[in-house]
Amino acid sequence: MKRISDFLSSSIDSRSLGLFRIIIGLSLIYNVVFQRLFYVGTFINNQELIPFEVIDSYYGVPLQLFRWFESNVWSYSYLTVLLVLVILFTLGKSPWWLRLVTFVLYGTVNASYTYLSHGPEFLMETALFWSVLLPVNSSFQFRNNEQPKTIQSFIVTGFYLQLFFIYLSSWLLKDGIAWQSNQVMEILAFERIHATDLLISLKDSTSLLRWFTAFGFWLEVVVSILLLISIKVYRLRWFTAVSILLLHSSMVLLLSVGHFWSLGLAFSCVFIPFKDLLKKVLNHTDQIVIKKHLMPLPFISFAVLLLFILHGNMYAWKKQGYLSDLINDLPLSNVLLRSHYKDPGFASGFYHQSWRFFSGDIPPDLGDFVYVGIDDYGMEYELNSGKPLSSIENFEFKKNEYQHAEFVFAVYLKFYQDRFPKSSLKEWLRLQVLQLDSTSPYQTYKLLHHKKTFNVTDPVEIRDELIELATINSPN
């Protein structure tokens, strides 16, 4: 057992964990307030927009805590309690059992309205789970810092391993033609939801955009390799921290993908080698989390958890990615990796390890929604700009300024229109019309999809069209 313990042992600085906790906590506060509380009655508890059966049929029935009462009062109360718990977590005043409650409550919200959750929410679920097991309150606590806790060293190793699996899966599943030809950023430059203004301005710089695609892909490869090696090689952790931060910083410059950057900052902080830094500056290095001899029962339980996490990753790798053929050829792969286990009804992002940004290949149908009003003379106007809508050949569509939960839902509605009933499309149109700054007395509103279909060639071929999705009468 001692040999196993030594092999699995790893260290983590309590100050790194303290920074990790604070950044994750601030991200959670932002998420609960600006993507949950502000949207009760519109995106949350709006059966016209997201009927429960739409989510349940694709993701399974979640725990009923958040849906216990179908009222806005219950939603506000639930989210307020969650917000208080998250604030306590951020301040470092939350014991392990209260952090467990926070993980369950937050994971239940995400599973209840899956179309308001994507990568950042899934990563926060993962961070909350490991925060239950790690002594995240040992440094930078609001008043009366606790001393570093004595923990099983394999828990630290397990945390590092899951981060490794996350970044490894992210690039392993990018095996499509667009990725292999380095054309992803070139395509996204014409897209209207994920692209930033900077990326849109570079849409004619084909060579530069292909370099960005290749750089981002290989940086993910480097991050995963550094993550694995630095579990045991402490002196490499500076490189790991910098590479993670560089990856997420380059993403935020070119892509509108939510608050991934803050989570990347949190993960990079985990690898800051305070031991070396403060030894040189302050000659003070006593904040390393203490190791403990391996205990058989906790270790076996933890090994089962890690095997569960590995199974979820290998199930995804078997279906697609650069290792698909290899895993399919492994003995018993069709038996052991035939299916994933039943969703537990909460924290589905942690359960499915869902951080697969444009995995496989970029969706071939991109573009954005167009909101159209019709005046008394039958003239159609694009409501974002107020300009007459003539044809897609000579009309410059204005990018919709989606905000927070609205952006998340727009992404799912665009890519998975077949999952939503007609009532969802009409309600989405109604909510958008209420926000548009249009004074013209339009009698009818239309929701069109400005659809760009890409054929990956050299250069990229684009087919442009408008597809009507829904129509409603003017609320005036």
Side-chain angles (χ1 to χ4, degrees):
M1 280 304 246
K2 187 177 184 305
R3 289 184 178 180
I4 298 176
S5 177
D6 292 341
F7 177 75
L8 292 176
S9 65
S10 188
S11 63
I12 192 167
D13 196 293
S14 66
R15 288 158 294 211
S16 298
L17 282 176
L19 289 176
F20 170 78
R21 184 201 75 239
I22 291 170
I23 297 170
I24 292 297
L26 292 174
S27 298
L28 283 164
I29 291 171
Y30 173 89
N31 184 260
V32 172
V33 173
F34 294 104
Q35 292 193 324
R36 309 294 173 184
L37 275 168
F38 281 7
Y39 290 93
V40 172
T42 52
F43 294 100
I44 292 176
N45 263 12
N46 184 343
Q47 286 291 290
E48 289 296 314
L49 185 67
I50 318 179
F52 290 152
E53 57 269 18
V54 171
I55 293 173
D56 298 351
S57 60
Y58 284 94
Y59 298 97
V61 179
L63 297 180
Q64 294 301 301
L65 285 173
F66 194 60
R67 296 180 182 174
W68 216 334
F69 303 102
E70 293 184 23
S71 71
N72 289 345
V73 173
W74 173 250
S75 297
Y76 281 124
S77 301
Y78 185 106
L79 291 171
T80 300
V81 170
L82 178 58
L83 178 60
V84 171
L85 291 176
V86 169
I87 292 173
L88 291 175
F89 171 84
T90 308
L91 297 175
K93 307 302 289 185
S94 181
W96 73 268
W97 62 269
L98 206 53
R99 299 198 294 271
L100 178 60
V101 172
T102 307
F103 168 66
V104 173
L105 293 185
Y106 183 72
T108 301
V109 172
N110 287 343
S112 298
Y113 289 93
T114 315
Y115 291 111
L116 300 184
S117 306
H118 66 326
E121 286 78 15
F122 299 153
L123 287 178
M124 283 189 284
E125 289 176 354
T126 300
L128 270 176
F129 173 81
W130 289 102
S131 296
V132 176
L133 303 175
L134 294 167
V136 293
N137 293 343
S138 297
S139 290
F140 305 124
Q141 185 193 48
F142 180 73
R143 293 185 183 177
N144 301 322
N145 282 348
E146 296 179 4
Q147 293 302 310
K149 299 287 187 181
T150 302
I151 62 169
Q152 299 280 345
S153 60
F154 59 77
I155 294 178
V156 177
T157 305
F159 176 45
Y160 290 149
L161 282 174
Q162 177 146 34
L163 291 181
F164 164 69
F165 285 137
I166 287 173
Y167 285 91
L168 177 67
S169 287
S170 185
W171 68 264
L172 269 182
L173 300 177
K174 292 182 170 74
D175 63 337
I177 296 174
W179 284 107
Q180 294 183 27
S181 59
N182 296 324
Q183 292 177 280
V184 170
M185 288 298 173
E186 182 184 357
I187 294 173
L188 287 175
F190 290 91
E191 197 251 358
R192 309 301 294 178
I193 292 183
H194 283 108
T196 63
D197 291 337
L198 174 60
L199 182 58
I200 293 173
S201 69
L202 296 173
K203 65 182 180 180
D204 296 323
S205 304
T206 302
S207 298
L208 181 61
L209 293 178
R210 294 190 181 185
W211 184 88
F212 283 156
T213 302
F215 174 79
F217 178 87
W218 287 106
L219 184 56
E220 282 191 319
V221 176
V222 170
V223 166
S224 64
I225 294 172
L226 285 173
L227 266 167
L228 183 62
I229 297 176
S230 62
I231 293 176
K232 301 295 290 185
V233 184
Y234 193 83
R235 63 179 177 270
L236 285 181
R237 293 190 179 180
W238 267 123
F239 296 99
T240 306
V242 171
S243 64
I244 293 174
L245 187 59
L246 179 61
L247 173 64
H248 288 268
S249 297
S250 60
M251 285 175 61
V252 79
L253 286 174
L254 300 174
L255 301 172
S256 298
V257 288
H259 43 295
F260 265 118
W261 186 84
S262 64
L263 300 171
L265 177 62
F267 292 145
S268 66
C269 284
V270 169
F271 294 93
I272 294 177
F274 279 99
K275 175 183 176 182
D276 294 340
L277 180 66
L278 296 181
K279 184 177 181 180
K280 296 176 181 178
V281 178
L282 300 175
N283 194 27
H284 181 68
T285 63
D286 61 350
Q287 292 292 312
I288 296 294
V289 172
I290 301 170
K291 301 176 185 178
K292 192 175 183 180
H293 292 300
L294 186 146
M295 297 173 63
L297 185 58
F299 171 73
I300 292 173
S301 301
F302 202 71
V304 171
L305 171 65
L306 290 181
L307 287 173
F308 174 80
I309 292 172
L310 177 61
H311 177 275
N313 282 275
M314 292 191 68
Y315 173 71
W317 302 342
K318 181 178 184 290
K319 291 195 299 182
Q320 67 177 78
Y322 294 104
L323 296 181
S324 177
D325 291 340
L326 175 64
I327 293 177
N328 275 289
D329 290 338
L330 291 176
L332 300 178
S333 67
N334 290 332
V335 176
L336 298 177
L337 301 175
R338 181 174 55 187
S339 63
H340 203 27
Y341 305 113
K342 184 178 179 182
D343 199 302
F346 77 98
S348 56
F350 169 75
Y351 176 83
H352 290 292
Q353 184 117 9
S354 300
W355 185 22
R356 290 154 193 170
F357 183 67
F358 290 144
S359 63
D361 220 337
I362 190 168
D365 298 335
L366 296 174
D368 200 356
F369 299 121
V370 182
Y371 308 102
V372 179
I374 304 173
D375 65 13
D376 292 337
Y377 303 100
M379 179 68 73
E380 293 186 337
Y381 292 85
E382 198 273 319
L383 296 182
N384 265 311
S385 63
K387 296 180 180 179
L389 180 65
S390 52
S391 68
I392 58 175
E393 283 76 22
N394 57 15
F395 189 86
E396 182 65 31
F397 293 102
K398 179 182 168 122
K399 180 179 178 180
N400 293 298
E401 299 299 329
Y402 297 109
Q403 299 294 321
H404 310 306
E406 180 187 3
F407 162 80
V408 178
F409 184 75
V411 171
Y412 280 107
L413 182 60
K414 182 177 70 169
F415 290 149
Y416 305 110
Q417 291 168 16
D418 59 313
R419 297 184 181 181
F420 296 90
K422 192 74 172 178
S423 61
S424 292
L425 298 173
K426 289 185 176 181
E427 179 64 9
W428 169 252
L429 174 58
R430 187 187 71 83
L431 292 174
Q432 294 301 313
V433 167
L434 292 176
Q435 298 181 30
L436 295 170
D437 296 326
S438 176
T439 57
S440 301
Y442 304 118
Q443 300 301 310
T444 304
Y445 296 97
K446 290 183 179 181
L447 173 63
L448 307 181
H449 185 198
H450 178 212
K451 184 176 179 181
K452 290 177 175 285
T453 304
F454 295 87
N455 181 26
V456 180
T457 57
D458 199 349
V460 169
E461 294 180 359
I462 304 173
R463 185 163 56 90
D464 215 353
E465 60 183 322
L466 289 173
I467 300 173
E468 183 173 337
L469 301 178
T471 300
I472 62 171
N473 291 326
S474 169
N476 298 324

